[in-house]
Amino acid sequence: MVTCNSVRRAVGGKTIKVDLEVTNGVIKNIIISGDFFLFPEDYIHLIESRLRGLKIHEVPNVMLEFKDSVEVVGASIEEFIDVINEAYKSCMGE
Amino acid sequence: MWRLIIDEGNAYRNMAIDEALLTLKDRGLIPNTVRLYVFNPSAVTIGYFQRINDSVNLDYIKSNGIDLTRRISGGGSVFHDVNGEVTYSVIASINDVSQNVIESYKIICDGLIYAISQFGLKAEFIPINDVVVKNKKISGSAQSRRKTALLQHGTLMYNTDLNILSNSLKVPKEKLEQRKLTSIFERVTTLSRELGRTVSKDEVIEPLIKGFSKALNADFIRGWYTDKELELANELANKYRSREWIFQR
């Protein structure tokens, strides 16, 4: 298991941090944190649970499915995907 | 007609009441309400999505008797100084403010701007959720929404001890780098600091009432919570003081 993280200041002004645990190229655990706003708030748990068990290339499609059900303010779903990718790359030592 | 409640309590009770009112407002059971309240004892609240270890100096707040809880709203960590900060909450039908999130922040923050202007200071709304005086933050707000109702709560720092604030909160270095600033002192201020005298809590209550009345186009009736609100808040307070809730991420 490898753990790693990535942090970014979103264009909308808020901070996004992604903490990842990766085993054999599979996301074992993920926490998307920061000072952004996301409505409804408890969807963050649903998003994180949908990402567990995925390979990195599967992340964008799953994340984009949430575009209709959540509103992100101060950051964006696309930026969440970018920070997840950055964290994954650092897990892989890239 | 809006209800106005002036209150004081600990962090768990304050956050529980905000959530109870949002829940009951969303069910259409209570009037639009503005709360003005103080955290006693002083407390740190962190945003729903924040990691505790990234946002709070736990050792410092523990050794200084500062309470800690997590909000249902997003946004950043806040220090609520019992001797220097008034918190407001607006609990209202979304249709009575704005469907648009940023627009609703602006409408409600205008209440703070009107309040601050009564001290002869020019304040500005900086989207998404800050009010600044001379480019320094004097108020931060956070919103949570249900289907038909919104809760916006936020601060007005009239005499916050910025040393304690600075020691209590962790600020991501990415945030400071982007703003090319080095410390909380350079980006946060209080009414007392700007006016060069000690401002008291009693001085800010009336300007806040007038400010929100104007911003929300609301006539206020001073009131208190119903039994149902207090009953729900009492249940929710247990969540706000639980480790599971506070340390969930």
Side-chain angles (χ1 to χ4, degrees):
Chain A
M1 185 186 71
V2 197
T3 61
C4 43
N5 67 66
S6 184
V7 186
R8 180 196 286 197
R9 188 92 171 136
V11 174
K14 298 302 178 190
T15 303
I16 303 168
K17 182 182 181 205
V18 169
D19 289 277
L20 268 188
E21 283 177 32
V22 178
T23 304
N24 299 328
V26 172
I27 295 170
K28 280 291 177 205
N29 199 12
I30 179 165
I31 295 177
I32 302 169
S33 62
D35 60 354
F36 51 84
F37 297 95
L38 183 150
F39 308 102
E41 288 87 358
D42 53 4
Y43 266 60
I44 198 75
H45 306 292
L46 187 59
I47 293 172
E48 289 168 348
S49 85
R50 287 287 310 279
L51 295 173
R52 285 185 205 113
L54 295 188
K55 297 207 165 185
I56 192 70
H57 69 87
E58 298 171 314
V59 167
N61 280 344
V62 169
M63 288 296 287
L64 291 171
E65 281 173 21
F66 285 97
K67 282 200 89 159
D68 292 335
S69 45
V70 302
E71 179 174 8
V72 184
V73 177
S76 66
I77 293 277
E78 288 78 5
E79 287 168 304
F80 288 157
I81 296 169
D82 288 348
V83 185
I84 294 168
N85 276 320
E86 284 162 16
Y88 186 84
K89 280 181 190 164
S90 76
C91 269
M92 296 298 113
E94 287 176 29
Chain B
M1 200 58 78
W2 289 53
R3 179 175 52 163
L4 171 71
I5 295 176
I6 298 173
D7 195 7
E8 177 163 340
N10 66 39
Y12 320 115
R13 177 180 181 274
N14 281 334
M15 292 299 92
I17 291 174
D18 275 357
E19 183 175 349
L21 267 52
L22 175 64
T23 300
L24 297 172
K25 181 70 218 173
D26 189 45
R27 293 184 199 155
L29 298 175
I30 62 167
N32 290 340
T33 301
V34 170
R35 295 179 69 207
L36 300 177
Y37 56 101
V38 170
F39 282 73
N40 190 2
S42 295
V44 168
T45 64
I46 64 168
Y48 186 81
F49 308 104
Q50 288 189 296
R51 295 206 80 166
I52 203 117
N53 288 326
D54 293 335
S55 40
V56 190
N57 287 315
L58 285 174
D59 290 343
Y60 179 84
I61 66 166
K62 196 172 178 189
S63 58
N64 286 275
I66 297 167
D67 281 350
L68 170 66
T69 195
R70 182 180 295 275
R71 303 189 304 270
I72 48 166
S73 55
S77 47
V78 178
F79 171 59
H80 304 269
D81 186 340
V82 62
N83 295 312
E85 187 265 341
V86 171
T87 302
Y88 76 88
S89 300
V90 172
I91 301 100
S93 297
I94 289 174
N95 284 338
D96 291 336
V97 187
S98 174
Q99 282 289 340
N100 180 282
V101 174
I102 307 271
E103 180 64 24
S104 62
Y105 271 113
K106 185 183 181 324
I107 289 168
I108 296 170
C109 287
D110 273 346
L112 297 159
I113 291 170
Y114 295 140
I116 294 164
S117 74
Q118 291 167 64
F119 290 88
L121 294 170
K122 188 177 180 317
E124 280 176 277
F125 171 66
I126 305 288
I128 300 163
N129 56 331
D130 289 345
V131 172
V132 302
V133 172
K134 293 180 195 148
N135 293 320
K136 293 189 180 76
K137 181 167 168 173
I138 199 161
S139 164
S141 295
Q143 209 176 102
S144 179
R145 287 181 167 220
R146 299 279 168 84
K147 227 180 179 67
T148 65
L150 66 77
L151 157 69
Q152 182 169 316
H153 42 202
T155 61
L156 177 59
M157 292 184 283
Y158 63 89
N159 194 32
T160 296
D161 187 324
L162 297 182
N163 277 305
I164 302 177
L165 180 149
S166 174
N167 288 329
S168 299
L169 307 183
K170 288 184 187 170
V171 179
K173 65 179 190 308
E174 290 77 9
K175 192 164 172 174
L176 293 178
E177 277 166 12
Q178 174 153 343
R179 296 185 183 181
K180 297 190 170 51
L181 296 172
T182 53
S183 79
I184 280 177
F185 291 96
E186 290 171 73
R187 55 183 201 91
V188 176
T189 194
T190 67
L191 287 177
S192 295
R193 197 175 170 201
E194 292 305 314
L195 293 170
R197 66 175 180 85
T198 303
V199 174
S200 71
K201 184 187 92 178
D202 290 345
E203 286 180 77
V204 300
I205 297 295
E206 211 44 51
L208 280 170
I209 295 170
K210 283 187 190 154
F212 284 122
S213 175
K214 187 173 171 188
L216 298 164
N217 197 20
D219 290 323
F220 288 122
I221 292 186
R222 184 89 182 258
W224 194 243
Y225 311 108
T226 63
D227 289 347
K228 198 177 179 70
E229 288 168 331
L230 290 173
E231 194 182 316
L232 181 54
N234 280 337
E235 285 170 30
L236 289 165
N238 294 324
K239 173 179 87 175
Y240 285 100
R241 65 172 79 242
S242 71
R243 278 191 73 84
E244 295 76 29
W245 172 256
I246 298 169
F247 290 87
Q248 63 177 270
R249 55 180 55 223

